[in-house]
Amino acid sequence: MKELLIIAIGSALVNNVVLSQFLGLCPFLGVSKKVDTAAGMGTAVIFVITLASAVTGAIYQFILTPLNITYLQTIVFILVIAALVQFVEMFLKKFMQPLYQALGVYLPLITTNCAVLGVALTNVQKSYGILTGVVNGFATAAGFTISIIILAGLREKMEYNDVPKAFQGMPIVLVTAGLMAIAFCGFSGLL
């Protein structure tokens, strides 16, 4: 249990997928204009990464390894992730139409979000079992959600600030994300 807690804290805060590994920046920067949209994206990412960690871990352990075809892991993982994102997209389109429209093009981008594939590959590289991989995936996605919601809150506040013309738009967002990355480096003393 202690090991799972250390992995969870490490994945969510210390080795934050966005702010320390710089994976998943496209939805991080693109969907972080409003807190509610960012929270919706974070929830979708939590669902996809957690489920992808479980499914890819099981496929790796019970199919790829026994058949000695682990060299196909990247292709198989991409196919699994694409299928899961399609499932999430169909679910949101049917049951949560406003969130589906708010996420727009960024929802299919979860398929190409390198953070999802990065977690699946990290689970394999670190020889995590299925349970440990799911904990790592959930914590990584929770760290992504924390980061995107914080950035969205800061961006909403920055709308009312007097920002120099050269920094308006994406430049100030990138500076803010950089400052957040520096702040998250402070969590490295936790473990």
Side-chain angles (χ1 to χ4, degrees):
M1 189 66 177
K2 183 179 177 183
E3 179 185 334
L4 292 177
L5 184 62
I6 290 172
I7 288 172
I9 291 172
S11 296
L13 299 176
V14 178
N15 299 317
N16 187 284
V17 71
V18 176
L19 300 174
S20 96
Q21 296 177 13
F22 305 111
L23 297 174
L25 289 175
C26 183
F28 177 69
L29 296 173
V31 184
S32 61
K33 292 180 182 174
K34 300 282 182 207
V35 172
D36 55 342
T37 308
M41 175 59 97
T43 304
V45 167
I46 286 174
F47 178 77
V48 169
I49 289 182
T50 304
L51 196 56
S53 296
V55 173
T56 56
I59 288 173
Y60 186 81
Q61 186 173 353
F62 298 119
I63 297 174
L64 298 179
T65 302
L67 294 176
N68 199 24
I69 53 173
T70 56
Y71 56 88
L72 293 175
Q73 70 187 9
T74 304
I75 295 169
V76 171
F77 291 175
I78 289 172
L79 292 174
V80 167
I81 291 164
L84 289 173
V85 170
Q86 288 300 314
F87 171 72
V88 169
E89 188 173 2
M90 289 186 308
F91 177 81
L92 289 179
K93 188 174 185 179
K94 183 161 180 115
F95 297 108
M96 299 178 167
Q97 191 70 27
L99 180 59
Y100 175 78
Q101 290 174 348
L103 292 176
V105 72
Y106 294 102
L107 186 59
L109 283 177
I110 296 175
T111 303
T112 59
N113 187 344
C114 52
V116 182
L117 181 60
V119 170
L121 293 175
T122 299
N123 290 341
V124 169
Q125 290 171 349
K126 292 188 176 183
S127 301
Y128 288 160
I130 296 173
L131 175 64
T132 310
V134 169
V135 168
N136 180 51
F138 177 79
T140 301
F144 176 87
T145 303
I146 290 167
S147 301
I148 196 170
I149 289 173
I150 290 172
L151 183 63
L154 292 171
R155 285 181 75 172
E156 283 184 358
K157 295 290 183 189
M158 284 188 296
E159 285 182 19
Y160 304 108
N161 293 345
D162 187 24
V163 178
K165 187 171 175 111
F167 284 102
Q168 290 177 355
M170 195 53 68
I172 194 68
V173 175
L174 292 172
V175 169
T176 305
L179 292 172
M180 285 176 58
I182 292 169
F184 268 65
C185 285
F187 289 122
S188 62
L190 284 175
L191 302 177

